[in-house]
Amino acid sequence: TTHGVDFSMPASVKVVADEDVVEPAIGGIGFVLKAGEQWIKPVEGADATVRFSCQGRWKGEWATVADKIVEQETTWNQMSLKRRYENCLAFVDGWEKQSEGMAMRRLPSWSTLVHVDARQAVWSRMPSMPLVELPDEDKIKSSKEEFWSWIFVWQRFSFMRLLTWERNTCTQPRMLAGTTNQITLRMAELWKAHPRCRMWIRWTLATMGRGGSAGQAIRDQILVIMHGHDIKEIHGTYYEQWHQKLHNNTTPEDIGICRAIIKYLGTGGNMAEYWKVLHEHGIDKERLASYSRPITTEPYMVNTDIPRLIRDFEEYLGILRSVHDALDLQLALDHAKANLPGSIQGKLQGVCNMGGTGFANLDEGHGKFLKIADAREEMLAMLNKKDTPAHVVKDLLILDFTLETQQSVLVQGMTDEQRLPQLCDQLKVMVTSLVGHLPMEDELQAILSDWMSFAPTCATQKWNDPTESALLLKAMSDRMSRVVGELSDKCQSLMGPKAAFLGEAIDAPQRNIDVFVDEILRGSSLMAVSLALQRLEPVLRALAHLPPWQMISPVDKPVQGELKLIDKMLHIQDKVFETPTVLLSGAVSGEEEVPDGVVGVLVRSAKEAPDILSHCAVRARNFGVLLATCFDPAISASLATDFEGKWVEVRCKADGTLTVQEAKRPEATAEADAKASDKDATNTEVKMNLSDSLGCAWVVRPDEMDKKAVGSKSLNLALLRPKLPADILTPQAVALPYGSMQKALTDAKNEKTVLPKLQKVLGQLQPSTSNDKATAVFEEARQLVEALSMPESLKLALQSSMDEVGKQDGEDRLRQLFQVRDGWEAIKGVWSSLFAIRPWVSLAKAGRSFHDLNMAVLVQELVEAKYAFVLHTVNPFTHDKDELYGELVAGRGESLVGNYPGRALSFAMKRGGEPRLISFPSKSVALHTQHCLIFRSDSNGEDLEGFAGAGLFESICAEEDKGGFLRLHRLGVVTDRDYRQKLLKRIAEVGWATEKAFGGAPQDIEGCIDVKDRVFIVQSRPQV
């Protein structure tokens, strides 16, 4: 019989991930049913329960697993730790069967992972460095991590006792021990078999196995004690201050503090005894107040069962000692001795005997760190050997987890470390351990090999000279910081939502959920690397004489606006700011459009900044928008704290001086500004030319190009070619002129199918059309353009023009590379890029109509680039006409001007002088070009007054680039100073020769060095 009951309850609304979620006032109810004289109860006789959830089912991948976990933990009447482990085994067995068909890359050996190949790179179309993962491989990896992050979050909740260990059941200790041994051995087997998931499996094992867990227990158990004795987490009270210190930076002094608390409680609150114990451990009031989370108050007697509280603190003292006195390690070592070689046993025993993680000075602390590192490196080599059996892997993982905890504690404690050799040693050790447990993270391997090649010499400031030593370390550390940050962000995105979902389901304390991810990362090498990098940054900046700001787009006059914080500029592309705004932004990739109403963009971190000559930077300079990158985290943090939401005035100088101060807000209202903006928009009429071909030919050769037919990209190359010295080359090319898209639309193959549909779709665009509506219109328009059929006459015209260019040059390169099918797809891709939100927003910002845009397509041979460069013949920061500024990357230049993280090699050079290096490359990826054609957008956008069209439209290769992770130690432009200076000087002279060919007008130039060390100019346009 089905019984239905209607009832209501109070509820509140909260915001989760930008969505309103209705949260019931109660988490559920217990109930029984009675039908007539019959009581209806569950089989086991307890009350029935129903759970009220504001979330519903898990909406991500592996929802079935999530549902079963929640069901087992919230509705099963009987549950135990043993049963939870059995359920977990069933889940992972099912997952492994399901994942057997997933493609797996071969796991490299340990010697390969840490090997440094000192040979100079030889260019090839396929990178010798690790390939960037293909989308399918990335999807497989993501699916596996989604599963294992669920398993880890679940088992971590159990470890924290947020899930019951015993409910309505009794488990014999030997049965639990047997299941524990079974699941930990299974975890070791899975760790070996699934390299992509090793971090998650290792973390999961650490919630189960003997040893290795006490480091995390320091953070967890203090909360258990406080909650168990109703000690309130009130800011400024003694126990909360100690809790905050333990949470952020536990040290061996916590042993003394814990003993002092026990003595204080045991003597009925005798404060003199408390201070006596502290003094015996070398701790006084000043020392307590000096911690990053200071302890400034004294303990008090808690209204609880004092003997029980003392017992709890004595148990907690054992946890502190197990980490700081290495007792935990000794237990794990004693258990594993029979399975370990004598050399590892000796090193581990040496760590056990070194007296814990306390140290009297930095030399002692660093010595202990290296002693642990020596033991870990040999263990990592053994872990990564194919023939190491699973039971040995299990013991080694537990030992290694314990050692990592000790290393992290040591790094946290060495807050005053500023010596380059020691910091470089620490980073090498910790990245090595990351590579050992994340063997499929290819970029980590590239970073490690570069660090091992350069860091020891750079740390002594003897790599070329002190400035270059610091600049190279800065480039490598920026890349390391970016990659480690991405890994941390990935952990946050994988764990955070799952912890929140499971926490809500079981009604876990909100504080536990809030700090869940932070607590995991704090004990890991990721956090230790981050701390060491923070200490290294100011040292390198001082040695390299780097200012705190880099002016990417300087402005002569002060700018004023409201300062707003944003995470990524990519997230606000469609937003229009009604009042002048200064953005303090996270990541700026280089591809974005500066939003309308923004007068300045201050990028919070160098690792998230665009290249100086990226498209976004060029457009910022065109519009006169301030764009600057901050290299000092303290300054960024201060700006956020002091000025968010305030009206500010920003002044800058090209030398890196930038000031922000609060200013008086203008009286003009935002409403008036908005009305003026609406009036301008209404007066801007949108007209789309889709049928007038302008009388164009299908194709024009360079000798047929003029400004009526093509944009400056094509025309400048055509004009430039005969004026350049013989040793400066340009790619062979032809162009589809303005009107060619309309000519294709009105061809018999398309005029009755695609054209009327496209006219109808684009007819929806009006001056008042919202960005959201325009985005939907453009998406439909692009799909229609992609459906165009290629006119036969266009194909024949392309082939004929390419043949003629080959005859003129005496070398038929262009025609041989032309593939009709690939070429047509690329042409349509360029045309369809007209219909996108960025040019729409940019035109509106400039007060121009969409119909002003015209698109030609430049069809060029893609030069097989060893290096690519961008030059501004007038330094864009100092405006010095006698100084050229340039940037250079390995491979094709898209990694420089496009959305690729990291900085290029940058330099400046005075006329008649020598190149001055400004930065080494910190890019992740080098793009290896394939021998094919590139179809480049050539709009008239750069020629329209008030409109910055650079980089708004697509350029498409007939074949995709092959991306590989960059290894600096194999790049001659990094390792060979003489070669670098000659190359940069030669490139600069090419820039001035190009400027001369255009009558001395300053030029913005893109070019490359091919595999034969020949210089090609790919495009040149007037520098703004």
Side-chain angles (χ1 to χ4, degrees), residues 515-686:
V515 302
F516 183 85
V517 179
D518 185 54
E519 296 287 7
I520 305 302
L521 295 180
R522 280 187 175 276
S524 73
S525 290
L526 291 172
M527 181 60 72
V529 170
S530 178
L531 288 172
L533 286 170
Q534 287 175 21
R535 294 163 193 167
L536 182 64
E537 172 77 13
V539 178
L540 295 179
R541 297 199 62 76
L543 288 171
H545 311 292
L546 297 174
W549 289 92
Q550 180 184 46
M551 301 301 141
I552 297 175
S553 172
V555 292
D556 297 329
K557 298 178 180 179
V559 298
Q560 286 196 359
E562 183 178 339
L563 191 135
K564 294 188 177 182
L565 269 62
I566 60 170
D567 180 35
K568 291 183 179 180
M569 209 160 85
L570 194 63
H571 292 167
I572 59 164
Q573 286 297 277
D574 304 344
K575 187 173 177 61
V576 175
F577 292 89
E578 305 293 358
T579 56
T581 301
V582 176
L583 297 177
L584 184 58
S585 174
V588 177
S589 69
E591 282 289 280
E592 302 92 339
E593 176 72 21
V594 178
D596 198 9
V598 171
V599 296
V601 180
L602 308 179
V603 186
R604 289 198 294 260
S605 167
K607 67 183 181 182
E608 299 176 319
D611 283 305
I612 295 167
L613 301 185
S614 66
H615 292 316
C616 177
V618 171
R619 290 197 290 274
R621 289 192 287 272
N622 286 350
F623 278 121
V625 174
L626 170 66
L627 177 56
T629 299
C630 184
F631 287 92
D632 188 334
I635 292 177
S636 295
S638 176
L639 291 177
T641 302
D642 297 343
F643 297 112
E644 182 180 8
K646 296 180 180 178
W647 194 267
V648 298
E649 180 175 278
V650 186
R651 295 174 177 264
C652 71
K653 295 181 181 178
D655 64 359
T657 304
L658 184 143
T659 59
V660 181
Q661 59 186 30
E662 190 170 357
K664 183 179 179 181
R665 188 182 292 267
E667 294 181 2
T669 64
E671 184 179 357
D673 292 341
K675 287 179 180 177
S677 176
D678 290 342
K679 184 179 178 181
D680 290 343
T682 304
N683 291 334
T684 305
E685 186 178 355
V686 175

Side-chain angles (χ1 to χ4, degrees), residues 273-285:
E273 290 295 318
Y274 165 78
W275 285 109
K276 179 182 177 183
V277 174
L278 284 180
H279 290 148
E280 288 170 354
H281 287 80
I283 304 170
D284 55 19
K285 251 183 197 179

Side-chain angles (χ1 to χ4, degrees), residues 818-830:
F818 180 54
Q819 301 291 327
V820 175
R821 184 174 179 179
D822 292 342
W824 179 234
E825 292 302 315
I827 289 167
K828 290 188 295 182
V830 175

